Amino acid sequence: MRQELMSLPKTLADDVARNLVMVAQLLDEDPERAYAYSRVALRLASRVAAVREAAGFASYASERYAEALAEFRATRRMTGTVDLWPVMADCERGLGRPERALEMAGAPEVQKLDKAGQVEMRLVAAGARQDMGQAEAAVVTLQSSELAANAIHPWTARLRYAYADALLAVGRESEARDWFAKALEADHDGTTDASDRLAQLDGLQFVDVTDDVDVTDDADDADETEDDEAVTDGATTPAAADAVAAADDADDEDDEDIEDIEDIEDDEDDEDDEDEDDDLDVTTDDVAAKAAEDVAADDEDEEDDDSEAEAAESAATAAETGVPSSFLAPFREPARDDRDED
C-alpha cells in the first residue's frame, strides 16, 4: 500500500494515508464512520488500487453490497489478482443472489486461491446453500480435509463454527455441540460466539448480577399481591365469595364503632382533666388568700406591741424628769373634765 501511495504527491499521499488508517481502525467498531473516511480517500485518490480495496471493505462492512462489489471489481481489474473472489461472491449473497455465489464457487478462479481463500470460498458456498434452503447440502459443502485437520489456522475456528451451525440446522444437536466445542478451542481471538452457542445447547442461562435485586423485589411484590388477592378471592363459589365480602363489611362496621367509643372516652377524659385543673386553681387561690391574711395579722400585732413599748418608755421618762414625752404636750387641748373645773 505504501508503494502504491508513493505515486501520489507527498502531501496528498499523507492525507490519503491518514484516512486509510482511520478506515482500518474503525472498520470493526464503527463501520459507518469507516465508510465516511473511505469516501474521502476515494475522492482524493480513486486511481490507487489500495484505496479502492479499502473503500470496498468499508462498504461491505456497512452492508452496502452493491458499492462493495463495484469497488472489488475495480480493484481486481487494477491488480489482476483473484484474492477478493470469495468476498465478491459473498456480496452476491448480500444482494439476494445466492445462485450467482454458487456459480462463482465453481469458477476456475477458485483454484488460484491460496488455502485461506479456498476455505473462505467454501464458507460462502455453504452460506449460499442455506440461503436457498439446502441445509443438508450446506453440511456436505463444509466437509473437507481442512475441517478434519487438527492443526490450528486463522480460519479454523470459523470453519468449525460454520459446520456446527449447519449441523444444528439439520437437527444434529449432539454433533453440533461437539463442533461448537472444537470451534471454541481454536478461537483464541474471540472471532466467534462459540462459547455462547455452547452454553445455550447445555441449557445454561447467564443473568446479570445487578438485575437480581430488581427481580427479587418484583417477585416479593407479586407474592404480596397474590396473598392480598387470596384473602378476598380465595372463595371457590359465588356464595362463599359473598360471605367473605359480608364478613369484611361487618369487620369494617365494628372498627367504626370501636373508633366512636374511643372518641367518646377521650372526650370524657378531657372533661375530667379540665375539672381537676379548675379545682386545683381554686384551692391554690384560697391558700394564697389565707397566707396573705396571716401576714397582715402578724404585722398588726407587731405594730401594737411596738406602740405599747413606746408608750411605756415615754411614761417612764416623764416620771423621772418631769418633762413631757412630747414637745407638743403643753399645746394640746386639756381634757374636758379639766376645762369644767377651771
Side-chain angles (χ1 to χ4, degrees):
M1 185 177 293
R2 185 183 298 274
Q3 283 287 61
E4 294 181 14
L5 291 177
M6 287 178 63
S7 62
L8 301 174
K10 180 171 179 52
T11 303
L12 180 59
D14 291 341
D15 293 340
V16 174
R18 293 190 181 95
N19 283 277
L20 294 179
V21 169
M22 293 306 298
V23 171
Q25 291 182 348
L26 298 172
L27 191 62
D28 295 330
E29 299 177 359
D30 194 346
E32 289 297 328
R33 290 184 63 194
Y35 174 78
Y37 280 107
S38 71
R39 303 310 293 181
V40 174
L42 188 61
R43 186 176 66 253
L44 295 175
S46 60
R47 294 187 178 182
V48 177
V51 174
R52 303 298 292 266
E53 180 179 350
F57 277 110
S59 300
Y60 178 79
S62 60
E63 299 183 358
R64 294 176 172 86
Y65 298 114
E67 294 183 19
L69 185 58
E71 297 300 334
F72 290 144
R73 287 174 175 171
T75 304
R76 181 168 177 264
R77 288 194 301 269
M78 292 179 179
T79 60
T81 62
V82 295
D83 296 340
L84 298 175
W85 193 257
V87 69
M88 291 170 61
D90 205 35
C91 288
E92 296 287 356
R93 285 187 58 208
L95 294 172
R97 300 193 292 249
E99 299 85 355
R100 176 58 183 162
L102 286 177
E103 292 178 2
M104 294 179 66
E109 284 80 1
V110 177
Q111 303 300 324
K112 299 178 182 179
L113 295 172
D114 58 8
K115 183 64 67 176
Q118 292 180 0
V119 171
E120 290 294 332
M121 192 71 249
R122 194 177 293 275
L123 292 172
V124 173
R129 293 290 185 184
Q130 289 180 337
D131 294 341
M132 298 171 63
Q134 302 174 3
E136 291 288 352
V139 173
V140 174
T141 301
L142 292 171
Q143 293 174 350
S144 60
S145 59
E146 292 83 7
L147 180 64
N150 293 326
I152 303 299
H153 301 281
W155 39 261
T156 301
R158 296 178 57 243
L159 179 59
R160 293 177 178 179
Y161 181 91
Y163 187 61
D165 191 53
L167 291 171
L168 192 62
V170 297
R172 296 160 64 175
E173 184 173 329
S174 178
E175 297 179 57
R177 188 202 175 284
D178 294 338
W179 281 101
F180 277 127
K182 293 180 180 179
L184 182 59
E185 293 176 358
D187 192 4
H188 302 300
D189 298 329
T191 56
T192 68
D193 61 345
S195 59
D196 295 337
R197 299 294 297 275
L198 190 62
Q200 291 176 1
L201 291 176
D202 290 340
L204 299 179
Q205 183 178 3
F206 297 97
V207 180
D208 190 355
V209 177
T210 57
D211 296 337
D212 288 347
V213 177
D214 297 336
V215 173
T216 304
D217 293 341
D218 295 340
D220 293 340
D221 295 339
D223 292 340
E224 291 177 359
T225 304
E226 291 178 358
D227 292 339
D228 295 339
E229 293 176 353
V231 173
T232 56
D233 298 338
T236 57
T237 62
D242 295 338
V244 172
D248 293 339
D249 295 337
D251 292 338
D252 295 338
E253 292 177 358
D254 293 339
D255 294 338
E256 293 177 357
D257 294 338
I258 292 172
E259 291 178 357
D260 294 337
I261 293 172
E262 292 177 352
D263 293 339
I264 293 172
E265 292 177 353
D266 292 338
D267 294 338
E268 292 177 353
D269 293 338
D270 294 339
E271 292 178 358
D272 294 340
D273 294 338
E274 292 178 357
D275 294 338
E276 292 178 359
D277 294 339
D278 294 339
D279 294 340
L280 181 61
D281 294 339
V282 171
T283 302
T284 303
D285 294 340
D286 293 342
V287 172
K290 179 63 177 171
E293 292 177 358
D294 294 341
V295 171
D298 293 340
D299 292 341
E300 290 179 357
D301 294 340
E302 291 178 358
E303 291 177 358
D304 292 339
D305 294 340
D306 293 341
S307 299
E308 292 177 356
E310 290 177 358
E313 184 178 359
S314 299
T317 304
E320 294 176 357
T321 59
V323 180
S325 60
S326 174
F327 69 94
L328 291 177
F331 303 99
R332 289 180 178 171
E333 185 178 358
R336 183 172 299 273
D337 295 338
D338 296 339
R339 287 198 306 270
D340 291 340
E341 290 178 357
D342 295 338

